[in-house]
mmCIF file of all heavy atoms in Angstrom:
data_model
loop_
_atom_site.group_PDB
_atom_site.id
_atom_site.type_symbol
_atom_site.label_atom_id
_atom_site.label_comp_id
_atom_site.label_asym_id
_atom_site.label_seq_id
_atom_site.Cartn_x
_atom_site.Cartn_y
_atom_site.Cartn_z
ATOM 1 N N GLY A 9 59.535 151.931 67.626
ATOM 2 C CA GLY A 9 59.224 152.770 66.607
ATOM 3 C C GLY A 9 57.615 153.075 66.576
ATOM 4 O O GLY A 9 57.001 152.880 67.453
ATOM 5 N N ASN A 10 57.233 153.383 65.348
ATOM 6 C CA ASN A 10 55.789 153.767 65.137
ATOM 7 C C ASN A 10 54.941 152.611 65.555
ATOM 8 O O ASN A 10 53.925 152.737 66.332
ATOM 9 C CB ASN A 10 55.553 154.142 63.695
ATOM 10 C CG ASN A 10 56.115 155.521 63.325
ATOM 11 O OD1 ASN A 10 56.255 156.383 64.209
ATOM 12 N ND2 ASN A 10 56.401 155.645 62.005
ATOM 13 N N VAL A 11 55.247 151.368 65.037
ATOM 14 C CA VAL A 11 54.274 150.225 65.344
ATOM 15 C C VAL A 11 54.401 149.816 66.758
ATOM 16 O O VAL A 11 53.511 149.620 67.435
ATOM 17 C CB VAL A 11 54.546 149.104 64.283
ATOM 18 C CG1 VAL A 11 53.750 147.968 64.709
ATOM 19 C CG2 VAL A 11 54.251 149.612 62.868
ATOM 20 N N GLY A 12 55.704 149.609 67.217
ATOM 21 C CA GLY A 12 56.028 149.129 68.515
ATOM 22 C C GLY A 12 55.306 150.086 69.643
ATOM 23 O O GLY A 12 54.703 149.555 70.521
ATOM 24 N N ALA A 13 55.526 151.378 69.442
ATOM 25 C CA ALA A 13 54.889 152.253 70.424
ATOM 26 C C ALA A 13 53.359 152.287 70.393
ATOM 27 O O ALA A 13 52.741 152.261 71.476
ATOM 28 C CB ALA A 13 55.444 153.679 70.129
ATOM 29 N N SER A 14 52.811 152.066 69.238
ATOM 30 C CA SER A 14 51.396 152.062 68.986
ATOM 31 C C SER A 14 50.869 150.832 69.651
ATOM 32 O O SER A 14 49.807 150.750 70.300
ATOM 33 C CB SER A 14 51.011 152.084 67.582
ATOM 34 O OG SER A 14 49.636 151.981 67.427
ATOM 35 N N CYS A 15 51.597 149.731 69.644
ATOM 36 C CA CYS A 15 51.150 148.406 70.336
ATOM 37 C C CYS A 15 51.165 148.678 71.763
ATOM 38 O O CYS A 15 50.240 148.189 72.542
ATOM 39 C CB CYS A 15 52.238 147.322 69.944
ATOM 40 S SG CYS A 15 52.280 146.670 68.336
ATOM 41 N N ALA A 16 52.282 149.265 72.294
ATOM 42 C CA ALA A 16 52.369 149.457 73.730
ATOM 43 C C ALA A 16 51.249 150.353 74.196
ATOM 44 O O ALA A 16 50.662 150.122 75.199
ATOM 45 C CB ALA A 16 53.727 150.098 74.087
ATOM 46 N N ASP A 17 50.974 151.478 73.383
ATOM 47 C CA ASP A 17 49.847 152.314 73.729
ATOM 48 C C ASP A 17 48.560 151.619 73.882
ATOM 49 O O ASP A 17 47.812 151.757 74.813
ATOM 50 C CB ASP A 17 49.855 153.391 72.727
ATOM 51 C CG ASP A 17 49.086 154.527 73.082
ATOM 52 O OD1 ASP A 17 48.829 154.924 74.280
ATOM 53 O OD2 ASP A 17 48.230 155.025 72.226
ATOM 54 N N SER A 18 48.307 150.869 72.821
ATOM 55 C CA SER A 18 46.969 150.118 72.652
ATOM 56 C C SER A 18 46.798 149.010 73.804
ATOM 57 O O SER A 18 45.742 148.888 74.376
ATOM 58 C CB SER A 18 46.890 149.440 71.260
ATOM 59 O OG SER A 18 45.726 149.659 70.631
ATOM 60 N N ILE A 19 47.882 148.352 74.080
ATOM 61 C CA ILE A 19 47.864 147.272 75.027
ATOM 62 C C ILE A 19 47.614 147.906 76.486
ATOM 63 O O ILE A 19 46.824 147.410 77.313
ATOM 64 C CB ILE A 19 48.978 146.391 74.968
ATOM 65 C CG1 ILE A 19 48.988 145.603 73.728
ATOM 66 C CG2 ILE A 19 49.279 145.460 76.205
ATOM 67 C CD1 ILE A 19 50.355 144.851 73.456
ATOM 68 N N SER A 20 48.336 149.001 76.724
ATOM 69 C CA SER A 20 48.178 149.644 78.070
ATOM 70 C C SER A 20 46.896 150.283 78.213
ATOM 71 O O SER A 20 46.128 150.106 79.241
ATOM 72 C CB SER A 20 49.230 150.725 78.230
ATOM 73 O OG SER A 20 50.532 150.204 77.888
ATOM 74 N N TYR A 21 46.506 151.060 77.202
ATOM 75 C CA TYR A 21 45.127 151.697 77.295
ATOM 76 C C TYR A 21 44.029 150.825 77.455
ATOM 77 O O TYR A 21 43.093 151.175 78.265
ATOM 78 C CB TYR A 21 44.991 152.512 75.895
ATOM 79 C CG TYR A 21 43.717 153.405 75.811
ATOM 80 C CD1 TYR A 21 43.564 154.531 76.602
ATOM 81 C CD2 TYR A 21 42.733 153.014 75.027
ATOM 82 C CE1 TYR A 21 42.463 155.325 76.551
ATOM 83 C CE2 TYR A 21 41.552 153.731 74.998
ATOM 84 C CZ TYR A 21 41.468 154.859 75.775
ATOM 85 O OH TYR A 21 40.278 155.631 75.687
ATOM 86 N N ARG A 22 44.040 149.678 76.917
ATOM 87 C CA ARG A 22 43.125 148.711 77.024
ATOM 88 C C ARG A 22 43.243 147.774 78.296
ATOM 89 O O ARG A 22 42.324 146.909 78.572
ATOM 90 C CB ARG A 22 42.853 147.878 75.825
ATOM 91 C CG ARG A 22 42.404 148.761 74.632
ATOM 92 C CD ARG A 22 42.215 147.905 73.318
ATOM 93 N NE ARG A 22 41.425 146.702 73.579
ATOM 94 C CZ ARG A 22 41.454 145.660 72.774
ATOM 95 N NH1 ARG A 22 42.272 145.677 71.632
ATOM 96 N NH2 ARG A 22 40.724 144.628 72.986
ATOM 97 N N GLY A 23 44.250 147.917 79.066
ATOM 98 C CA GLY A 23 44.539 147.162 80.296
ATOM 99 C C GLY A 23 44.666 145.661 79.994
ATOM 100 O O GLY A 23 44.213 144.807 80.800
ATOM 101 N N ILE A 24 45.179 145.318 78.907
ATOM 102 C CA ILE A 24 45.320 143.916 78.502
ATOM 103 C C ILE A 24 46.356 143.223 79.209
ATOM 104 O O ILE A 24 46.306 142.025 79.634
ATOM 105 C CB ILE A 24 45.612 143.852 76.994
ATOM 106 C CG1 ILE A 24 44.362 144.449 76.181
ATOM 107 C CG2 ILE A 24 45.994 142.380 76.450
ATOM 108 C CD1 ILE A 24 44.616 144.581 74.712
ATOM 109 N N ALA A 25 47.526 143.962 79.607
ATOM 110 C CA ALA A 25 48.620 143.279 80.339
ATOM 111 C C ALA A 25 48.901 144.108 81.542
ATOM 112 O O ALA A 25 48.633 145.336 81.569
ATOM 113 C CB ALA A 25 49.859 143.242 79.495
ATOM 114 N N SER A 26 49.570 143.517 82.618
ATOM 115 C CA SER A 26 49.864 144.329 83.821
ATOM 116 C C SER A 26 51.233 145.070 83.568
ATOM 117 O O SER A 26 51.412 146.075 84.107
ATOM 118 C CB SER A 26 49.857 143.388 85.047
ATOM 119 O OG SER A 26 50.780 142.329 84.729
ATOM 120 N N GLU A 27 51.978 144.480 82.711
ATOM 121 C CA GLU A 27 53.362 145.086 82.441
ATOM 122 C C GLU A 27 53.661 145.065 81.043
ATOM 123 O O GLU A 27 53.522 144.047 80.292
ATOM 124 C CB GLU A 27 54.387 144.316 83.265
ATOM 125 C CG GLU A 27 55.718 144.956 83.188
ATOM 126 C CD GLU A 27 56.742 144.245 84.085
ATOM 127 O OE1 GLU A 27 56.464 143.252 84.788
ATOM 128 O OE2 GLU A 27 57.927 144.683 83.950
ATOM 129 N N VAL A 28 54.260 146.170 80.487
ATOM 130 C CA VAL A 28 54.633 146.215 79.105
ATOM 131 C C VAL A 28 56.025 146.820 79.120
ATOM 132 O O VAL A 28 56.384 147.910 79.720
ATOM 133 C CB VAL A 28 53.724 147.237 78.236
ATOM 134 C CG1 VAL A 28 54.361 147.415 76.876
ATOM 135 C CG2 VAL A 28 52.357 146.589 78.077
ATOM 136 N N VAL A 29 57.013 146.062 78.496
ATOM 137 C CA VAL A 29 58.393 146.509 78.310
ATOM 138 C C VAL A 29 58.640 146.853 76.912
ATOM 139 O O VAL A 29 58.429 145.977 76.001
ATOM 140 C CB VAL A 29 59.360 145.500 78.805
ATOM 141 C CG1 VAL A 29 60.828 145.970 78.604
ATOM 142 C CG2 VAL A 29 59.158 145.161 80.252
ATOM 143 N N LEU A 30 59.067 148.043 76.591
ATOM 144 C CA LEU A 30 59.529 148.410 75.213
ATOM 145 C C LEU A 30 61.053 148.328 75.113
ATOM 146 O O LEU A 30 61.729 148.797 76.017
ATOM 147 C CB LEU A 30 59.155 149.860 74.816
ATOM 148 C CG LEU A 30 57.734 150.019 74.322
ATOM 149 C CD1 LEU A 30 57.341 151.616 74.458
ATOM 150 C CD2 LEU A 30 57.600 149.649 72.881
ATOM 151 N N LEU A 31 61.648 147.616 74.059
ATOM 152 C CA LEU A 31 63.018 147.611 73.941
ATOM 153 C C LEU A 31 63.437 148.096 72.495
ATOM 154 O O LEU A 31 62.764 147.701 71.518
ATOM 155 C CB LEU A 31 63.553 146.272 74.173
ATOM 156 C CG LEU A 31 65.049 145.954 74.003
ATOM 157 C CD1 LEU A 31 65.425 144.715 74.959
ATOM 158 C CD2 LEU A 31 65.501 145.593 72.608
ATOM 159 N N ASP A 32 64.436 148.845 72.462
ATOM 160 C CA ASP A 32 64.896 149.442 71.212
ATOM 161 C C ASP A 32 66.448 149.532 71.223
ATOM 162 O O ASP A 32 67.036 149.613 72.372
ATOM 163 C CB ASP A 32 64.283 150.767 70.827
ATOM 164 C CG ASP A 32 64.365 151.048 69.259
ATOM 165 O OD1 ASP A 32 65.358 151.290 68.786
ATOM 166 O OD2 ASP A 32 63.170 150.885 68.677
ATOM 167 N N ILE A 33 67.121 149.536 70.147
ATOM 168 C CA ILE A 33 68.605 149.801 70.166
ATOM 169 C C ILE A 33 68.894 151.297 70.190
ATOM 170 O O ILE A 33 69.967 151.680 70.414
ATOM 171 C CB ILE A 33 69.318 149.148 68.851
ATOM 172 C CG1 ILE A 33 68.617 149.456 67.574
ATOM 173 C CG2 ILE A 33 69.304 147.625 69.152
ATOM 174 C CD1 ILE A 33 69.378 149.036 66.318
#
Side-chain angles (χ1 to χ4, degrees):
N10 285 334
V11 176
S14 174
C15 292
D17 187 43
S18 226
I19 289 170
S20 309
Y21 182 69
R22 293 179 51 200
I24 292 168
S26 51
E27 185 177 356
V28 172
V29 178
L30 273 167
L31 182 147
D32 204 286
I33 50 169

